[in-house]
Amino acid sequence: MTTLVSNIGLLVAADGERRNAALVIDDDRIAWIGESASAPAADTRVDAEGGCVIPGFVDTHSHLMFAGDRASEFEARMAGRKYEAGGIRSTVAATRAATDEELLANATRLVAEMRAQGTTTVEIKSGYGLTVEDESRALRLATQFTPETTYLGAHVVPTEFADDVAAYVELVTGAMLDACAPHARWIDVFCEVGAFDVDQARAILTAGMARGLGARMHAGQLGESAGVQLAVELDAASVDHCTFLSDVDVDALAGGKTVATLLPGVEFSTRQPYPDARRLLDSGVTVALATDCNPGSSFTSSMPFCIAVAVREMGMSPAEALHAATAGGAAALRRDDIGELAVGTRADLVILDAPSYIHLAYRPGVPLISRVFAS
Ligand code: NIG
Ligand code: FE
């Protein structure tokens, strides 16, 4: 089954921007890219009506397996209260009490929101269960939505282990890892004051890597953290947040393969300063943008929102922000089949109801996603 997408005003292809373009989708792959005027025939035809076509967004950081609502916490922050990692525990209580059906229904709604806003690949973390059963349940359910599942038993120390953090780390690296590894591609740690320190993070990530999981890391959200350099040292695919970075952290990132994933929804929702994307890009670091969709620190499912904030507040050009939200995300998942449009890549693409991707930032909050193709 082939589909011709013709009359593309501006196509953001892997080898550059093309005007008056067309492309052919064959099953789940892109089979042809060229001038609209010389497009081949196909089984069906879609008219892009002069709109811009971009790769589907790759949202590499979300916590969708949860129950409950923390709107009042957000309201209090907007009135001046500080964000603290401990708020996670209130979602843990609600998530443990939820049925599988409730968790699935909530995640289904959020994944649909993401898709409607142009996201074609999503990563989903556990991290609101924090028992062997609740973490493995979250990951087993998450595999219904994506192969990019991440074991985050090390999100915070649950209340019942408050007096014995070492015992919780032992659980996370032992029985909980055994139960979760079959349902996960990645392992992640929240390395921050109020969560896990750098020695614990090292123990947890190396245990996961020994089980064949790829490493990811939350670090630098609330202050500078040795977690950033640990992520690079362990060749983690990504270190996420990176709001607070020392010069040594930036040099380490520039010298390694670890992607810096920036999550502007968090700074928006916690009233923190935005991360400095310009500093990272100018140092040669690969940058990704993601939503961090979760009920506490960033309850947005919108990659266009993240792009708009990144352009307005973080020193990125519209082209850099789009690249970070697509190819940057692919790099953060170590994938070469998504995040850009070329012959042979997956047919994950978005037709915008706009002549250019610049409009994603120029028209913030406006629904510009006209059609989404997801392989
Ligand atoms: O990425 N930083 C840790 N985890 C989430 C926050 C989750 C929450 O507050 O519930 C984050 O921001
Ligand atoms: Fe997170």
Side-chain angles (χ1 to χ4, degrees), residues 61 63 218 241 292:
H61 188 139
H63 304 250
H218 283 69
H241 287 286
D292 194 4

Side-chain angles (χ1 to χ4, degrees), residues 324-356:
T326 54
L333 293 174
R334 302 242 159 123
R335 297 268 302 264
D336 57 13
D337 59 332
I338 56 173
E340 53 183 24
L341 302 178
V343 171
T345 65
R346 298 194 80 91
D348 293 347
L349 52 109
V350 175
I351 304 177
L352 297 178
D353 186 10
S356 164

Side-chain angles (χ1 to χ4, degrees), residues 61 63 70 83 88 128 155 190 218 221 241 292 294 296-297:
H61 188 139
H63 304 250
R70 283 157 61 195
Y83 175 80
I88 293 168
Y128 290 120
H155 200 181
F190 186 19
H218 283 69
Q221 176 183 356
H241 287 286
D292 194 4
N294 77 78
S297 62

Side-chain angles (χ1 to χ4, degrees), residues 61 63 70 73 77 83-89 91 125 128 152 155-156 190 192 195 218-219 221-222 240-241 263 266 270 292 294-298:
H61 188 139
H63 304 250
R70 283 157 61 195
E73 206 184 283
R77 280 201 304 273
Y83 175 80
E84 280 164 2
I88 293 168
R89 292 191 190 92
T91 300
K125 300 176 199 299
Y128 290 120
L152 181 59
H155 200 181
V156 282
F190 186 19
E192 198 82 53
H218 283 69
Q221 176 183 356
L222 305 175
D240 298 27
H241 287 286
L263 311 167
V266 173
T270 58
D292 194 4
N294 77 78
S297 62
S298 176

Side-chain angles (χ1 to χ4, degrees), residues 57-64 110-111 113-115 117-119 121-125 218 221 240-241 261-269 288-307 309 324-325 329:
F57 300 124
V58 180
D59 186 351
T60 62
H61 188 139
S62 85
H63 304 250
L64 302 189
L110 293 168
V111 168
E113 274 182 23
M114 289 175 160
R115 177 61 61 82
Q117 294 172 93
T119 296
T121 301
V122 59
E123 178 265 13
I124 300 179
K125 300 176 199 299
H218 283 69
Q221 176 183 356
D240 298 27
H241 287 286
T261 299
L262 310 181
L263 311 167
V266 173
E267 281 70 37
F268 180 90
S269 301
L289 285 172
T291 61
D292 194 4
C293 185
N294 77 78
S297 62
S298 176
F299 200 13
T300 181
S301 51
S302 174
M303 290 293 277
F305 169 76
C306 295
I307 288 172
V309 175

Side-chain angles (χ1 to χ4, degrees), residues 34-260:
E35 291 266 317
S36 209
S38 54
D43 300 329
T44 56
R45 186 187 170 115
V46 172
D47 186 346
E49 295 177 0
C52 178
V53 169
I54 59 174
F57 300 124
V58 180
D59 186 351
T60 62
H61 188 139
S62 85
H63 304 250
L64 302 189
M65 305 315 299
F66 71 90
D69 178 280
R70 283 157 61 195
S72 53
E73 206 184 283
F74 171 81
E75 186 184 33
R77 280 201 304 273
M78 294 306 108
R81 203 171 85 192
K82 228 175 125 234
Y83 175 80
E84 280 164 2
I88 293 168
R89 292 191 190 92
S90 73
T91 300
V92 169
T95 304
R96 287 178 180 173
T99 63
D100 290 7
E101 290 67 32
E102 286 164 342
L103 292 181
L104 279 174
N106 190 45
T108 300
R109 177 178 66 91
L110 293 168
V111 168
E113 274 182 23
M114 289 175 160
R115 177 61 61 82
Q117 294 172 93
T119 296
T120 50
T121 301
V122 59
E123 178 265 13
I124 300 179
K125 300 176 199 299
S126 65
Y128 290 120
L130 311 185
T131 65
V132 173
E133 274 184 11
D134 288 301
E135 285 296 298
S136 59
R137 164 171 88 138
L139 287 163
R140 181 171 47 76
L141 298 176
T143 58
Q144 296 190 25
F145 302 98
T146 181
E148 303 294 349
T149 54
T150 301
Y151 167 45
L152 181 59
H155 200 181
V156 282
V157 177
T159 320
E160 61 274 20
F161 281 91
D163 296 333
D164 196 353
V165 178
Y168 187 64
V169 172
E170 213 176 293
L171 181 67
V172 167
T173 54
M176 197 185 280
L177 175 61
D178 289 342
C180 289
H183 310 294
R185 177 168 183 224
W186 304 99
I187 183 163
D188 194 342
V189 181
F190 186 19
C191 184
E192 198 82 53
V193 173
F196 295 87
D197 69 24
V198 72
D199 294 331
Q200 293 161 342
R202 179 188 292 278
I204 290 160
L205 292 183
T206 51
M209 290 164 78
R211 291 293 297 263
L213 304 181
R216 328 184 62 75
M217 173 90 94
H218 283 69
Q221 176 183 356
L222 305 175
E224 284 181 19
S225 155
V228 176
Q229 288 169 59
L230 175 64
V232 177
E233 181 198 321
L234 297 179
D235 191 31
S238 181
V239 54
D240 298 27
H241 287 286
C242 291
T243 308
F244 295 93
L245 295 175
S246 68
D247 289 343
V248 179
D249 292 336
V250 175
D251 288 348
L253 286 164
K257 274 204 315 184
T258 302
V259 172

